Amino acid sequence: DQEGVEDEGEPDDLCELPSDSANPELRKAELECELLQEEIRQKEEVHMATLSQWVEEFNTLMNDIGRHIIERAQGYYDSVALWQQAIQDFARQQEEADAVNSQLDVLVRDLARVEAAYEASLLGGGAAELSEEEWRR
């Protein structure tokens, strides 16, 4: 038994209240409930008809094509899905590697500039001096 699905033994009108519906708001709520029940019933009918049609089509295809062919094709489509996932994973990792390489390039340039300034300060040349902020970077 699925929750929310009406059993054959349950009453059809769940919205009917035992008291008189003299209250207009209460009557309006009862009417809305009845309309919703009818909508659900109609949707369940469409769902069951669609499901029955799908089962018929599935059985026809199974008989026409054969289980072995369908199972072989399923393996192919499963591998295609795995391949596509691998491609997406590779692209994501490539983006991460590109970002790391870009950061590395910036840091190598900064290191070369700092080394040049350090060597210049050791040799007594002031041409390559860096500001305090540049030293902190």
Side-chain angles (χ1 to χ4, degrees):
D1 227 14
Q2 292 179 349
E3 194 174 302
V5 175
E6 188 174 302
D7 283 344
E8 292 294 320
E10 291 184 16
D12 286 337
D13 194 358
L14 298 175
C15 298
E16 198 170 299
L17 297 175
S19 64
D20 280 342
S21 296
N23 184 342
E25 289 180 20
L26 185 58
R27 180 62 196 140
K28 181 180 176 185
E30 288 175 344
L31 180 60
E32 185 176 339
C33 183
E34 290 169 6
L35 291 173
L36 289 172
Q37 277 184 326
E38 177 61 23
E39 182 181 343
I40 289 171
R41 187 191 61 74
Q42 290 172 356
K43 288 184 182 202
E44 284 177 347
E45 285 178 7
V46 169
H47 168 71
M48 291 308 294
T50 303
L51 184 59
S52 295
Q53 180 184 359
W54 179 86
V55 168
E56 287 176 27
E57 288 177 16
F58 173 83
N59 289 334
T60 300
L61 285 172
M62 189 64 73
N63 290 331
D64 291 349
I65 297 173
R67 180 174 293 279
H68 174 71
I69 301 296
I70 291 173
E71 288 173 354
R72 250 183 50 209
Q74 185 62 48
Y76 167 78
Y77 287 109
D78 289 345
S79 66
V80 167
L82 290 173
W83 177 254
Q84 290 173 342
Q85 181 63 42
I87 289 172
Q88 291 173 352
D89 290 345
F90 176 78
R92 183 182 45 77
Q93 290 172 350
Q94 189 63 46
E95 288 175 2
E96 290 175 11
D98 290 345
V100 167
N101 283 333
S102 178
Q103 286 178 325
L104 179 62
D105 290 342
V106 168
L107 294 173
V108 166
R109 281 193 304 269
D110 287 349
L111 179 61
R113 200 173 70 229
V114 168
E115 285 177 340
Y118 180 70
E119 286 176 8
S121 70
L122 288 178
L123 297 175
E129 285 190 28
L130 298 176
S131 68
E132 192 66 34
E133 182 180 321
E134 289 175 313
W135 276 112
R136 276 189 244 131
R137 279 190 2 197

